[in-house]
Amino acid sequence: MKLFGKLSDFILPKEVDFFGNLEAQCMVTQDVLKKFCGIYLGEDIKTSELTQAITNANELRKKNEAELNEVLITPVDKEAISRAYLNLDWIVLSIKHLNAEAGAYGVSSLQDYGVILGLLKEQMTRMTSCFLLLKEKKYSEVLGGVNDIILLDDEVISEYASCMAQLFNHDSVQHILRHRELLSQLKEVSKRVHFCVNSVEDIVFKMN
């Protein structure tokens, strides 16, 4: 039996829960955003917790991508799955860059942009749900979730425009320049979420 077990490792394809892995990756990405929002909305979250969340997301992505690279059989082409990981990673990178800019500018609060941060958190919550529904093969519900996230992105852009209009009324040019960059980075996070749900949509179309 032990010999058969060893032989089967070479002969039988390795079973991997690809969509479960994507859901787990989305959850750790969601945690990165949650930690970021906690810091800049005055919650009891330390910068070290955000750093650890980013490290967790990176380590899990490397593990999942290595596993994806090893297997021979996947439910859709490897490029489609890899693209989802890439887009989730871009969300983490965008948040990391945003945090770096805020620190460099000496900005410790983003309370004025609480609406945008709330919309970003809702986007990530719904995207995690989309990956779960993908795993459960509830494709029509996945597409409904994708559409909801795109509509949330529209709301982010609308709120971004409103915040920019208010920002230009400020007397300090330094304040305007700093916060314009931060607002642009917030919009970038939402854009990356939008790209990610497009990759989810692509997977659904290939599965049907």
Side-chain angles (χ1 to χ4, degrees):
M1 292 297 292
K2 288 183 179 179
L3 177 60
F4 176 77
K6 290 180 179 179
L7 288 172
S8 66
D9 289 340
F10 292 99
I11 299 171
L12 299 177
K14 182 180 180 181
E15 290 187 11
V16 178
D17 184 5
F18 295 101
F19 299 141
N21 286 352
L22 281 170
E23 181 196 4
Q25 190 69 50
C26 192
M27 288 177 69
V28 295
T29 304
Q30 184 180 2
D31 188 54
V32 171
L33 178 62
K34 181 180 177 181
K35 294 293 193 299
F36 174 85
C37 291
I39 291 171
Y40 290 95
L41 292 178
E43 298 172 14
D44 189 22
I45 302 293
K46 298 179 177 63
T47 303
S48 59
E49 294 180 64
L50 173 60
T51 302
Q52 185 59 55
I54 291 171
T55 298
N56 293 343
N58 288 335
E59 289 180 351
L60 183 61
R61 175 182 55 80
K62 290 175 183 176
K63 174 181 174 295
N64 285 335
E65 287 181 334
E67 190 173 50
L68 175 64
N69 187 53
E70 289 175 359
V71 297
L72 298 175
I73 300 174
T74 56
V76 292
D77 56 277
K78 287 187 177 184
E79 289 79 5
I81 299 173
S82 178
R83 196 175 303 117
Y85 282 123
L86 176 64
N87 286 321
L88 285 168
D89 185 47
W90 264 111
I91 295 170
V92 174
L93 284 173
S94 295
I95 296 168
K96 183 179 179 180
H97 296 164
L98 175 55
N99 182 60
E101 284 204 39
Y105 299 153
V107 175
S108 59
S109 174
L110 294 174
Q111 294 277 5
D112 290 345
Y113 314 130
V115 172
I116 293 179
L117 292 174
L119 289 167
L120 292 176
K121 287 196 289 185
E122 181 61 24
Q123 283 180 314
M124 286 305 305
T125 297
R126 297 199 185 198
M127 187 150 66
T128 302
S129 178
C130 280
F131 281 116
L132 174 60
L133 292 168
L134 185 61
K135 177 181 177 180
E136 296 174 347
K137 299 182 180 181
K138 297 179 179 178
Y139 301 131
S140 61
E141 292 180 43
V142 173
L143 294 178
V146 168
N147 186 62
D148 289 341
I149 293 168
I150 291 172
L151 291 175
L152 285 167
D153 182 41
D154 289 342
E155 290 186 46
V156 169
I157 299 305
S158 178
E159 183 63 21
Y160 163 82
S162 177
C163 288
M164 286 292 287
Q166 293 177 36
L167 181 61
F168 286 128
N169 290 325
H170 203 279
D171 295 331
S172 170
V173 174
Q174 274 192 335
H175 179 90
I176 292 172
L177 292 176
R178 288 173 179 172
H179 284 261
R180 182 184 66 179
E181 290 302 314
L182 294 175
L183 278 166
S184 294
Q185 286 288 354
L186 285 169
K187 185 174 71 169
E188 178 71 13
V189 175
S190 187
K191 182 176 80 172
R192 293 299 171 181
V193 174
H194 193 148
F195 284 168
C196 192
V197 295
N198 285 344
S199 66
V200 174
E201 187 176 45
D202 179 55
I203 290 173
V204 171
F205 291 153
K206 289 179 177 179
M207 293 292 291
N208 283 334

